Amino acid sequence: MNFQNNMRQSSANVKIITRDNPFSSDILFDKLYPVPIQILSKQHWTPVDTAVRVANFLAGEGNESILDIGSGVGKFCLVAAHQTPNAVYYGIEQRKSLIEHADEAKTQLGLDNVSFIHGNFTQLDFKKFDHFYFYNSFYENLPGTDKIDDSIDYSDELYLYYKRYLFRQLEFKPRGTRLCTFCTWDHEIPQEYHIVGSVMGERLKFWVKV
């Protein structure tokens, strides 16, 4: 895969949006949510422009099934679903309250190619998904990090368990599997995945399993 050609081609697919469209900026998009959720956006939710870049890479061929691991209030999935309507997006999130916010925003936007799952990602069958987005949702478990809320358990042990579980699941995926990581350490990804591009000071990385 030629990453540069792929990204140039996907750039042509960027939606034309008006100034009052929620997909035109983080400020407008975040207004879909209550104020307490808006306040968390800069620290915990994927920026609109980042979601567009990821969607164009993961759904480059259309009809893919894409999983967001730790989807929060669904911001990535919703922006990506709008950007690449031929792909189907799934978000898995432990907090029921955040799933409710995600479903409400989905209703407001009228999107039908996105679904949100309340649960732990370890309960999913990874064979059902083609490609993956990971915004280091395990990081909250480490001491001294900013937490979204106190509704779930946090611990070093959970961090290690989740990291190892995801690592194994990615190892089982076939060649050609695409992955985007945001603010994630390289050692958390199996060696079979090669970085084919990065932006934002290498905070956002694009991977393909070879």
Side-chain angles (χ1 to χ4, degrees), residues 52-176:
V52 168
R53 289 176 184 267
V54 174
N56 286 340
F57 177 72
L58 294 182
E61 298 175 2
N63 301 315
E64 288 94 344
S65 177
I66 297 167
L67 177 66
D68 178 10
I69 303 164
S71 55
V73 293
K75 186 174 179 181
F76 163 74
C77 285
L78 295 169
V79 174
H82 172 264
Q83 176 65 21
T84 53
N86 290 329
V88 180
Y89 290 86
Y90 297 88
I92 179 76
E93 171 57 50
Q94 295 186 74
R95 301 169 175 88
K96 185 177 180 181
S97 62
L98 300 190
I99 290 290
E100 291 170 350
H101 289 305
D103 282 332
E104 174 60 27
K106 171 188 170 180
T107 299
Q108 292 183 61
L109 295 170
L111 295 168
D112 59 7
N113 61 325
V114 56
S115 297
F116 297 104
I117 306 163
H118 176 220
N120 192 296
F121 85 102
T122 60
Q123 301 167 334
L124 294 179
D125 180 359
F126 271 56
K127 294 178 182 177
K128 295 181 178 180
F129 308 100
D130 299 307
H131 309 302
F132 303 90
Y133 174 59
F134 181 56
Y135 181 5
N136 207 349
S137 50
F138 312 152
Y139 188 66
E140 283 186 287
N141 283 285
L142 297 178
T145 57
D146 291 329
K147 320 296 186 190
I148 292 175
D149 57 33
D150 59 359
S151 65
I152 61 174
D153 294 329
Y154 302 103
S155 70
D156 291 331
E157 290 76 15
L158 277 174
Y159 173 80
L160 292 174
Y161 170 65
Y162 291 152
K163 182 180 71 170
R164 291 166 181 165
Y165 188 91
L166 177 59
F167 192 96
R168 290 196 300 271
Q169 294 304 310
L170 291 175
E171 283 187 313
F172 294 145
K173 297 300 295 181
R175 293 175 61 184

